[in-house]
Amino acid sequence: MLFSQTRPRLALVATATLCASLALSIALAPAAFADDTTAQGTQHTFYSSKTPYAAQGTAADYQQVPTGFTQIYTESLARHGARALSSFKYDSLTQQLWAQAQSENALTPLGATLGPETAALTAANNTLGYGNLSGLGATQHQQIGARAVERMPDFFAQIIASDDIIELESSGEPRATESGENFAVGLLAANPALADKLPTTMPASPETLHFHDQEFNQDYMDYEESDLVADSVAAIWDQPQSKEVSRHVLERLYTTDFVDRLAAGDYHFEDPKGKTTIDNEVDAAMMLYNLYIIAPDLVEEGDWNFDQYLEPEDAEWFAYLLDTEDFYSKGPAFVGNDITYKMATPLLQEFFDGIDARLAGSNVAATFRFAHAETIVPFAALIQLPGSEQPVTAATPYTYATNAWRGESVTPMAANVQWDVYSNSAGQTIMRMLYNEKEIAFNSSCQPLEAGSHYYDVTEVKRCLLGIAVPETSTPAVSTDPVANTAASTQLAETGAQLGTMPALIALLLLAGIALRVVHRKRNAHADAA
């Protein structure tokens, strides 16, 4: 096993499929995964926060490191990869409605296909385990890990040649931990020599990676259940267009008379827990939309055709409705109220603490964290990542026309934020940021080394993100003219004992080209963390 843990977890199983294995493909040609770099949203599939991951940039797109600087640290925050449905809910309700229509001979030819398609999706979720990381989710993080090594080969070579180590952290939720484990598989596939640098355990840090449901954030939980959020969301959901779009979707599947009865409230269906119901046409269409958006995350578990049930214009409206919930409950929300994202401040502080520790001599050269949409979305709002800069007022609610926030780009499956840190012989430390592997600027309150640069002095980023005053220094200005790989000039103290090594067998298997398949043990459904 990759990590020793006492809770249920994934197992890595070697098979005898030579050359066809994903691990071998990553090891020999990480760039071969360029197929997943299509920009989110350009195909107008409108999967909201369930959008499958697509890297938004490559190393060829990045600015070159300023003259005289060498990378000394990297850290990231990532959402777990693609997953199964959170529980037997949307599929249960859709199947119940379909069975009712079937019993009344109220199915259209297209509608007749929905029941078997939904039953097959339920079977796949039962096999995988509701809430668990899917095959695609494992693949996504293996590829992200492999590309990290491809992007920073000299940095990882420096780790291998020194006493430096790599740390992995998880929220503690199985799908987040499995994402981290698969990320490690990707690192090893790209460079098996990293085996001795990876930990034998992955600590759970729910206080910083699953903070939204911690007792010390009770004020946030009260806000999430407040009338303010409920009324703001309802005002958008209750627009006439919701009924119009829902009817358009359903009348392609069911007879008009059946949809009329549904809209009139003649039917009532409950999920097995009795918490989610279908009472009208909007409920019914939204249940179907939730199957439509999860199907692309389960492509390794089945061949699905849910796209046939929603036309793009209809899917866009339902994406807007789901984005409305996330925007008000987790995102930028309201002007003058930071309740949705101030709880991410300890995580932001942890990012800076990691940098400070490295500069003080820590041998932790890389820290990779794995969490959830409930972590990514507030963090993005806190540091004002692109699309997360604009809160609203009660008088000007969230709309697609006036606000750039989209679940598909802010927090797709496996969304990630990475900070890379560099130092020079003068003791100056600078950094850059990647968002879904695209090099981006920090928010407009942060001043780069020079106009147009994506590199910033670390003290400046502390000032603009944490409000920490920057003392006067005599540090010389930095030129951002590119140079070839510069020899390391900053000596870091060798402190701390090295963590236990990864099993040597894994590296040998990778070198031999033996496939690694991620086998998921079925578990009971967990709380619905996006």
Side-chain angles (χ1 to χ4, degrees):
M1 294 191 299
L2 199 58
F3 296 90
S4 58
Q5 300 180 87
T6 57
R7 67 182 183 287
R9 50 175 308 284
L10 65 78
L12 292 172
V13 180
T15 71
T17 309
L18 191 63
C19 298
S21 74
L22 175 62
L24 180 63
S25 299
I26 297 175
L28 296 181
F33 294 99
D35 287 345
D36 73 352
T37 59
T38 302
Q40 276 104 15
T42 57
Q43 297 181 4
H44 304 294
T45 46
F46 304 109
Y47 296 132
S48 187
S49 62
K50 304 305 184 292
T51 300
Y53 182 74
Q56 298 301 289
T58 67
D61 303 322
Y62 304 159
Q63 297 176 358
Q64 289 186 297
V65 181
T67 303
F69 283 85
T70 300
Q71 187 170 1
I72 61 169
Y73 185 64
T74 190
E75 60 182 329
S76 69
L77 167 68
R79 185 188 182 188
H80 60 73
R83 62 162 171 83
L85 287 167
S86 60
S87 64
F88 183 48
K89 176 172 56 179
Y90 308 125
D91 47 344
S92 170
L93 288 165
T94 298
Q95 194 70 19
Q96 290 179 55
L97 178 66
W98 183 87
Q100 181 66 39
Q102 184 187 46
S103 72
E104 297 182 22
N105 197 29
L107 296 171
T108 67
L110 178 61
T113 68
L114 177 60
E117 187 84 355
T118 303
L121 187 69
T122 296
N125 278 272
N126 275 320
T127 300
L128 180 61
Y130 281 87
N132 288 348
L133 195 72
S134 70
L136 177 62
T139 298
Q140 288 165 344
H141 276 291
Q142 289 178 20
Q143 293 176 354
I144 293 170
R147 283 195 297 268
V149 176
E150 180 188 35
R151 193 164 54 239
M152 302 176 286
D154 293 340
F155 173 67
F156 281 103
Q158 175 183 310
I159 292 176
I160 293 167
S162 68
D163 289 335
D164 291 343
I165 58 174
I166 297 168
E167 284 191 347
L168 304 173
E169 298 177 4
S170 162
S171 69
E173 291 292 317
R175 58 180 169 267
T177 300
E178 290 181 2
S179 294
E181 292 169 340
N182 280 283
F183 179 88
V185 169
L187 293 178
L188 283 175
N191 192 335
L194 288 169
D196 289 345
K197 302 301 180 175
L198 290 167
T200 57
T201 61
M202 190 184 310
S205 303
E207 295 82 6
T208 53
L209 298 178
H210 208 257
F211 46 67
H212 66 283
D213 62 358
Q214 302 297 307
E215 289 184 0
F216 52 78
N217 284 322
Q218 184 62 51
D219 57 343
Y220 165 73
M221 290 185 277
D222 292 342
Y223 163 84
E224 190 177 26
E225 299 298 323
S226 68
D227 289 342
L228 175 61
V229 174
D231 292 347
S232 299
V233 172
I236 293 172
W237 278 58
D238 291 346
Q239 294 178 77
Q241 190 169 350
S242 292
K243 292 181 177 292
E244 295 167 4
V245 172
S246 296
R247 180 171 283 274
H248 182 255
V249 169
L250 296 175
E251 286 187 351
R252 299 175 66 236
L253 307 172
Y254 307 113
T255 64
T256 299
D257 287 345
F258 182 79
V259 177
D260 287 344
R261 291 192 294 276
L262 177 62
D266 290 357
Y267 303 107
H268 174 78
F269 305 97
E270 294 182 357
D271 78 319
K273 296 180 180 179
K275 294 182 179 180
T276 306
T277 64
I278 289 180
D279 293 297
N280 54 51
E281 73 276 35
V282 178
D283 293 342
M286 183 55 78
M287 296 306 115
L288 177 58
Y289 174 72
N290 275 282
L291 302 185
Y292 164 87
I293 63 177
I294 206 66
D297 295 321
L298 298 170
V299 293
E300 295 190 20
E301 286 72 35
D303 184 13
W304 315 110
N305 194 16
F306 278 89
D307 284 2
Q308 66 184 318
Y309 303 124
L310 279 91
E311 295 182 348
E313 295 80 5
D314 299 331
E316 182 179 17
W317 181 257
F318 289 117
Y320 169 51
L321 297 186
L322 281 195
D323 283 354
T324 295
E325 289 187 340
D326 286 342
F327 178 88
Y328 283 111
S329 66
K330 306 179 184 72
F334 297 100
V335 171
N337 191 344
D338 62 359
I339 188 67
T340 56
Y341 54 84
K342 69 178 181 181
M343 58 186 171
T345 303
L347 174 58
L348 176 60
Q349 182 63 61
E350 185 180 277
F351 265 66
F352 285 112
D353 289 346
I355 297 173
D356 290 343
R358 181 63 167 161
L359 293 173
S362 169
N363 68 334
V364 177
T367 305
F368 301 108
R369 307 172 182 88
F370 301 90
H372 307 266
E374 292 91 342
T375 319
I376 291 282
V377 175
F379 188 77
L382 178 65
I383 67 174
Q384 297 184 356
L385 291 178
S388 294
E389 313 100 319
Q390 185 182 346
V392 299
T393 66
T396 57
Y398 168 72
T399 70
Y400 270 10
T402 60
N403 200 296
W405 199 97
R406 302 288 187 276
E408 69 179 12
S409 55
V410 172
T411 182
M413 294 296 188
N416 53 88
V417 180
Q418 178 175 326
W419 288 4
D420 296 328
V421 182
Y422 306 80
S423 186
N424 68 3
S425 59
Q428 186 175 7
T429 309
I430 63 174
M431 60 191 295
R432 71 170 179 187
M433 176 164 59
L434 307 181
Y435 187 22
N436 296 331
E437 299 179 69
K438 178 181 180 180
E439 187 179 69
I440 64 169
F442 283 86
N443 72 61
S444 60
S445 71
C446 304
Q447 299 300 312
L449 297 181
E450 63 182 38
S453 174
H454 288 153
Y455 290 87
Y456 298 73
D457 195 286
V458 168
T459 56
E460 166 60 13
V461 180
K462 285 184 179 180
R463 180 201 64 78
C464 64
L465 296 188
L466 288 178
I468 297 177
V470 181
E472 292 290 335
T473 69
S474 57
T475 303
V478 176
S479 169
T480 56
D481 289 338
V483 293
N485 297 327
T486 307
S489 56
T490 301
Q491 299 299 316
L492 298 172
E494 298 180 356
T495 61
Q498 186 169 319
L499 296 181
T501 62
M502 304 287 288
L505 174 61
I506 296 175
L508 292 174
L509 291 175
L510 287 166
L511 288 171
I514 299 177
L516 288 174
R517 289 290 298 171
V518 179
V519 179
H520 303 268
R521 296 176 182 169
K522 182 178 174 183
R523 288 183 290 270
N524 294 328
H526 298 278
D528 187 11

